[in-house]
Amino acid sequence: MVARPAAPQRSCNAGEFTPEAKGRVDIKQYYAAGLAFKGIEPVPQSGFRRMGGTWRKGEWRRPLSARAITAPTPAAGPFTGTQTIWSGTVAGTVAAVLVSTLAISAGTATFTIEAFVGGVWVAVGGPFAVATGTPATRLAAYAPGQQKTATSLRIRATFSVGATTVSGLVVSAFFESGTALRPRFVDLTPDQGNALACFVTAGIADFYTDTGFVGSARIATVTDTMLPDLAFYSEGNTIGIFHGQLETVRLFLATSGQLHDWRQDLWPYDPVPSADLGGVYAKTDDVWEVFFRWIPDPEAYLSITVNGESTTAIPLKSVGTGLPIGINSAIVPGDWTAWATELALAIEGLPSLGPGVSGVWSNVSGNNTEKITFTFGGDLAGDEYEFSAIIANTADASALPFHTQVGKTDTEEVFSTAKGWPGGATLVQDRLAYYRIPAVTGAMAMSRVAEYFDLNIEGTTDAAARLDKLRSQTNETILHVKDSTSLFVFTDLALYFVPNRTIERNTPLNFVPASEIGAQPNCRPFTLEGEVYYVAINPQGLPFAAQGGKQVLRVTEAVTSATTNFNADPVSLLASHLADNLIRSANQKPANDLDASKGWLMRTDGRLIACQMIRNQDINGYCEWLAAGGGLVREIGIDGKNRLWLAVERAGRTSIELYDTTIYLQDTVNAVPDLAGVITGLAFEDGAELWAKADGYVLGPFACAGGSIALGDAYAAATVGRWIAPRFETMPQVLVTGSDEVVLRPGRIHTLHVNIADTDSIAVGANGEAAEDVELHDTNDQVDAPMPVKTKLLTVTGLLGMMEGTTAVITQKRPGELRVRDIAMGTKL
């Protein structure tokens, strides 16, 4: 046997490189990268594997239109036990029924909404709970796309107390029509531990668990134009929906375990912050009174301090002579009026003040007591001043000032229907921070500690709410706030960090610039491996944000002996062809030892990019998840169980899917073939190319016709779905001489050594030739059972072709498991 050396490629952690990097062997990650990572993801330890498939959980909803209800008939009460409390007639499809303002007179009740479909009463939704004194508004809905043709509707209720009456009941019906709008995702992990995925479309929110659709909530104020810019805050049993033109909506679950019983109301701001928004506002004068007391008759030199600036000591002077005089002189009285005026003029002469101060003497009944009132009016009105007074020359007289009226300027509410509402919120040090505020774009409002709805900035304790601006005047818009090792504030123009370790009401926040590259809206910054990543805004600015951002940046800490600073460095330049037009981001933690932390990035064109981050190896490996059947990804999100949800559009159909690394088919459903191996009732379009895995055998492809495929034999159970072949292509192989010269000439890869693990389908090719399937069957495999997955070294020789910058390709011709530990290429260059 002749030894044939080969160049090994063990690490693929650098992921897919941009085509501009062909032949750039001087890049240190060159031999850990590839020209194609399509449906292929790096394995941190070595090599790569196929990416996961998806389970279909439903579809997203088309817009709702009103369905007329004729002859609505509330039943006569009082009611006892279970009875029909309302009925009405409809004609056509019904997707959802909204019950509004249902009130009962005593006890509690549950009610169910039913539709008369095909001669049978079928539940639309319920049971929903309602208590005395709390009018109920609930939405009962069929799963998206599952509307039914009905002739009648009714509401059946069960009452806990006999002789209960019902009032205020209003019923509306809806059907789905038109083109499905791209949904928005928000996750919620309720107190009882269920992980919910919520997909919001115009007018409605639909909720899913890993078992499928569980319920809906009506949000009539959310319009189609708001969808792209919606933001969410979710915690406990509550979801907040934010948009600059939407009075903030709150969805919440009130009954533990009843995932269909959603309440909807407005976010309970109490109160909203007020600020000077440039209008003309009423002003109140700041007023201080100074009381004088003395014994027996000292001269008095008074010094007044305002906002830390002090006047000279000015004495009380006699009437007529203008000379200092004893404060209680019985021979020549002191001129208190002149003294008050002179003191006021001295205050006006302080550096930070000016005209507007008046001093008025008032005779106070009682011995050895007088008073002067100082009023800050005119241009000085509307502010509160720090004021103190002291008799500088003697201890026999005293001056005691106190506030009688606090100066302030009336302001206006920052959140309102006229001014707009916050566009986002996030938790910061047990305060809820609200940002993207239309009235003050460069500001964020922070709630009182542990009171997320209290935004009263008039409070003075350290726990009180606050309103912070980047600068007094700015055209920047705060788009994201991220609490990490420091507090980070992302605008459309820059990135700032706040060095304050603790946020306190009476300590100003210091916004320190860290980068002049702003963040893309609706792409929330995320933390991987302890570092913050964000998508850079479209270079043309916020008005063009819908076109997507074009870079991913990592915020790194730069520590010196004197200061701590942060820098934002691009980490996507070597995969710039993938990290382009990004409009959504989500982060996923490692699920097992073969995973790294992963950032998912969705593009405007429906492509989905994954970036694996391993900080201690300086790895940012980009790859692309391919949607089978020409699918376009329209929304992504990670739920409370660290699972990726996708909204995918294919051939005019929509689907909500749950990503799963244990399967390789997409849009997958479970099915049971009949005795002839025929599967019916599949919700795929006619002509869809489908594959099936039945009793361990991979069968297909099949063309779906009328929701049916024929497997050709009987099987106990099957999973059916779409499939697209993954593709890995190496970087071009070039000859590098001992003096680091690159020789460009035609060459070939003649041999491939591929070390596979747990694989049952693989095809290889090289030199621009088509990949060929590699037979993995062994002679000791059972002939009456599916082939087990293989772990072994494959050696493929005799590869044809020759080309300059030759590459090797690893792919599949049929679905199956695929993992490559490493490859080695025998080349002639």
Side-chain angles (χ1 to χ4, degrees):
M1 179 178 236
V2 177
R4 293 185 177 181
Q9 181 172 347
R10 299 183 177 89
S11 174
C12 295
N13 285 332
E16 181 172 321
F17 269 17
T18 178
E20 284 81 0
K22 285 184 177 181
R24 283 292 311 276
V25 293
D26 56 313
I27 300 175
K28 68 177 181 179
Q29 299 98 332
Y30 187 87
Y31 294 105
L35 283 181
F37 275 72
K38 309 297 185 186
I40 293 291
E41 65 181 1
V43 173
Q45 291 82 355
S46 180
F48 56 84
R49 62 176 178 175
R50 59 143 183 98
M51 299 183 78
T54 61
W55 293 100
R56 181 193 296 172
K57 297 302 176 182
E59 59 187 270
W60 74 78
R61 199 177 295 275
R62 292 183 293 160
L64 295 179
S65 298
R67 172 69 70 196
I69 300 175
T70 57
T73 307
F79 303 101
T80 300
T82 302
Q83 292 185 256
T84 299
I85 63 172
W86 180 93
S87 62
T89 301
V90 294
T93 55
V94 173
V97 179
L98 180 67
V99 173
S100 303
T101 61
L102 170 60
I104 60 176
S105 62
T108 60
T110 58
F111 63 94
T112 302
I113 302 167
E114 299 176 339
F116 199 60
V117 178
V120 179
W121 287 105
V122 178
V124 182
F128 301 107
V130 59
T132 307
T134 307
T137 297
R138 305 284 188 273
L139 183 71
Y142 292 117
Q146 302 300 312
Q147 59 186 357
K148 303 182 186 300
T149 301
T151 55
S152 299
L153 299 173
R154 72 179 184 183
I155 300 176
R156 299 274 290 172
T158 301
F159 299 91
S160 65
V161 177
T164 302
T165 59
V166 171
S167 62
L169 177 59
V170 178
V171 181
S172 306
F174 305 91
F175 66 97
E176 293 184 43
S177 65
T179 302
L181 305 171
R182 299 181 184 183
R184 293 299 310 276
F185 173 88
V186 57
D187 72 291
L188 179 70
T189 303
D191 295 340
Q192 56 267 32
N194 299 290
L196 289 171
C198 173
F199 288 87
V200 176
T201 54
I204 191 169
D206 294 306
F207 296 87
Y208 297 82
T209 66
D210 50 7
T211 61
F213 174 77
V214 293
S216 300
R218 177 68 169 160
I219 41 176
T221 53
V222 174
T223 65
D224 55 350
T225 57
M226 294 178 183
L227 285 175
D229 267 337
L230 289 182
F232 307 94
Y233 175 79
S234 61
E235 184 178 5
N237 291 346
T238 301
I239 295 175
I241 303 176
F242 296 85
H243 186 277
Q245 302 307 314
L246 172 70
E247 187 169 4
T248 312
V249 173
R250 178 175 67 164
L251 304 177
F252 63 101
L253 282 171
T255 307
S256 177
Q258 295 189 9
L259 301 181
H260 63 282
D261 195 3
W262 286 91
R263 275 75 161 161
Q264 183 265 320
D265 63 6
L266 296 177
W267 198 254
Y269 294 111
D270 183 28
V272 301
S274 295
D276 183 348
L277 301 182
V280 178
Y281 308 108
K283 296 183 177 182
T284 302
D285 295 341
D286 199 51
V287 180
W288 289 83
E289 292 183 353
V290 182
F291 274 80
F292 297 90
R293 294 181 64 85
W294 60 88
I295 57 167
D297 184 21
E299 290 185 1
Y301 285 73
L302 182 67
S303 176
I304 294 176
T305 301
V306 179
N307 292 349
E309 299 172 356
S310 300
T311 68
T312 58
I314 300 172
L316 174 64
K317 299 172 184 177
S318 66
V319 176
T321 66
L323 298 174
I325 193 172
I327 200 167
N328 197 31
S329 174
I331 302 172
V332 181
D335 194 341
W336 287 85
T337 300
W339 197 27
T341 301
E342 187 176 2
L343 289 168
L345 290 173
I347 294 173
E348 289 181 340
L350 294 175
S352 63
L353 300 177
V357 182
S358 65
V360 178
W361 165 61
S362 300
N363 186 261
V364 180
S365 61
N367 294 327
N368 300 348
T369 303
E370 297 290 348
K371 178 181 73 172
I372 297 178
T373 301
F374 294 97
T375 301
F376 294 81
D379 292 340
L380 301 179
D383 290 324
E384 180 182 359
Y385 297 90
E386 294 181 2
F387 187 102
S388 63
I390 186 172
I391 302 293
N393 64 314
T394 179
D396 291 337
S398 66
L400 177 64
F402 65 95
H403 231 155
T404 59
Q405 181 173 288
V406 177
K408 67 177 182 178
T409 300
D410 291 344
T411 53
E412 57 184 307
E413 294 182 337
V414 174
F415 308 159
S416 67
T417 301
K419 295 295 184 180
W421 302 88
T426 191
L427 196 63
V428 175
Q429 294 186 16
D430 206 22
R431 298 174 185 262
L432 201 58
Y434 300 85
Y435 50 88
R436 204 172 183 181
I437 302 170
V440 197
T441 59
M444 63 177 176
M446 290 191 182
S447 73
R448 184 157 63 95
V449 173
E451 296 290 342
Y452 302 157
F453 310 120
D454 182 353
L455 293 168
N456 181 12
I457 62 174
E458 300 298 326
T460 57
T461 66
D462 280 337
R466 56 188 299 156
L467 180 67
D468 292 284
K469 298 181 181 179
L470 295 176
R471 292 182 297 282
S472 59
Q473 296 292 330
T474 178
N475 60 348
E476 290 185 72
T477 299
I478 294 179
L479 299 172
H480 305 288
V481 176
K482 176 72 174 176
D483 192 15
S484 184
T485 53
S486 289
L487 176 61
F488 296 100
V489 176
F490 300 83
T491 75
D492 58 329
L493 300 179
L495 161 65
Y496 300 87
F497 77 95
V498 178
N500 304 55
R501 291 301 180 185
T502 303
I503 297 173
E504 297 174 332
R505 167 64 177 83
N506 300 303
T507 304
L509 294 185
N510 181 22
F511 294 97
V512 181
S515 172
E516 294 183 351
I517 301 177
Q520 175 73 10
N522 311 311
C523 286
R524 299 187 67 174
F526 53 90
T527 301
L528 293 176
E529 298 286 322
E531 293 185 322
V532 175
Y533 294 79
Y534 73 99
V535 176
I537 194 169
N538 185 289
Q540 298 181 75
L542 194 55
F544 298 88
Q547 299 176 10
K550 301 189 179 290
Q551 272 190 2
V552 179
L553 295 98
R554 177 175 58 201
V555 182
T556 56
E557 188 172 7
V559 181
T560 66
S561 59
T563 63
T564 296
N565 205 343
F566 290 89
N567 301 315
D569 304 315
V571 293
S572 58
L573 298 182
L574 292 176
S576 57
H577 66 302
L578 295 180
D580 192 19
N581 302 322
L582 304 175
I583 57 171
R584 205 77 75 242
S585 61
N587 64 297
Q588 189 175 31
K589 296 181 283 291
N592 56 53
D593 288 343
L594 296 181
D595 289 334
S597 298
K598 192 180 279 101
W600 293 95
L601 306 168
M602 188 185 82
R603 297 170 38 133
T604 56
D605 56 7
R607 296 168 66 181
L608 182 61
I609 311 303
C611 178
Q612 295 200 145
M613 313 286 190
I614 307 177
R615 184 178 62 177
N616 60 3
Q617 297 182 32
D618 195 23
I619 287 172
N620 302 282
Y622 288 79
C623 53
E624 182 176 1
W625 184 81
L626 302 174
L632 302 175
V633 180
R634 297 308 190 190
E635 180 64 326
I636 60 171
I638 303 295
D639 70 8
K641 293 185 177 179
N642 195 41
R643 300 174 302 187
L644 175 67
W645 289 79
L646 307 98
V648 184
E649 185 178 0
R650 296 185 181 90
R653 302 173 68 93
T654 67
S655 62
I656 301 296
E657 301 175 26
L658 182 60
Y659 185 81
D660 187 351
T661 57
T662 65
I663 63 173
Y664 39 75
L665 298 181
Q666 297 179 25
D667 200 14
T668 309
V669 296
N670 289 312
V672 177
D674 64 15
L675 294 179
V678 177
I679 299 176
T680 58
L682 296 173
F684 296 94
E685 72 277 8
D686 286 349
E689 183 180 275
L690 302 177
W691 292 79
K693 187 172 184 179
D695 298 349
Y697 293 96
V698 176
L699 309 172
F702 306 100
C704 184
S708 176
I709 59 173
L711 303 184
D713 205 347
Y715 294 92
T719 57
V720 180
R722 310 172 194 263
W723 179 74
I724 185 170
R727 176 182 173 87
F728 166 77
E729 184 176 2
T730 65
M731 296 301 291
Q733 303 298 299
V734 296
L735 177 62
V736 182
T737 68
S739 57
D740 287 338
E741 295 175 333
V742 175
V743 179
L744 298 178
R745 64 186 182 189
R748 61 186 291 254
I749 299 171
H750 53 76
T751 305
L752 276 179
H753 303 283
V754 185
N755 202 349
I756 62 173
D758 299 329
T759 297
D760 58 13
S761 173
I762 186 172
V764 300
N767 312 315
E769 300 293 323
E772 299 291 339
D773 198 43
V774 178
E775 180 59 57
L776 298 180
H777 276 287
D778 294 330
T779 55
N780 57 354
D781 289 340
Q782 297 184 28
V783 296
D784 57 349
M787 183 190 73
V789 293
K790 304 296 184 179
T791 299
K792 61 182 180 180
L793 176 64
L794 302 177
T795 298
V796 181
T797 59
L799 295 170
L800 303 178
M802 178 174 287
M803 61 185 293
E804 185 177 303
T806 184
T807 63
V809 172
I810 296 178
T811 182
Q812 291 179 307
K813 294 294 186 180
R814 58 181 177 82
E817 298 293 345
L818 173 64
R819 182 186 167 198
V820 173
R821 287 178 173 170
D822 57 65
I823 62 175
M825 291 168 281
T827 60
K828 179 64 175 177
L829 300 175

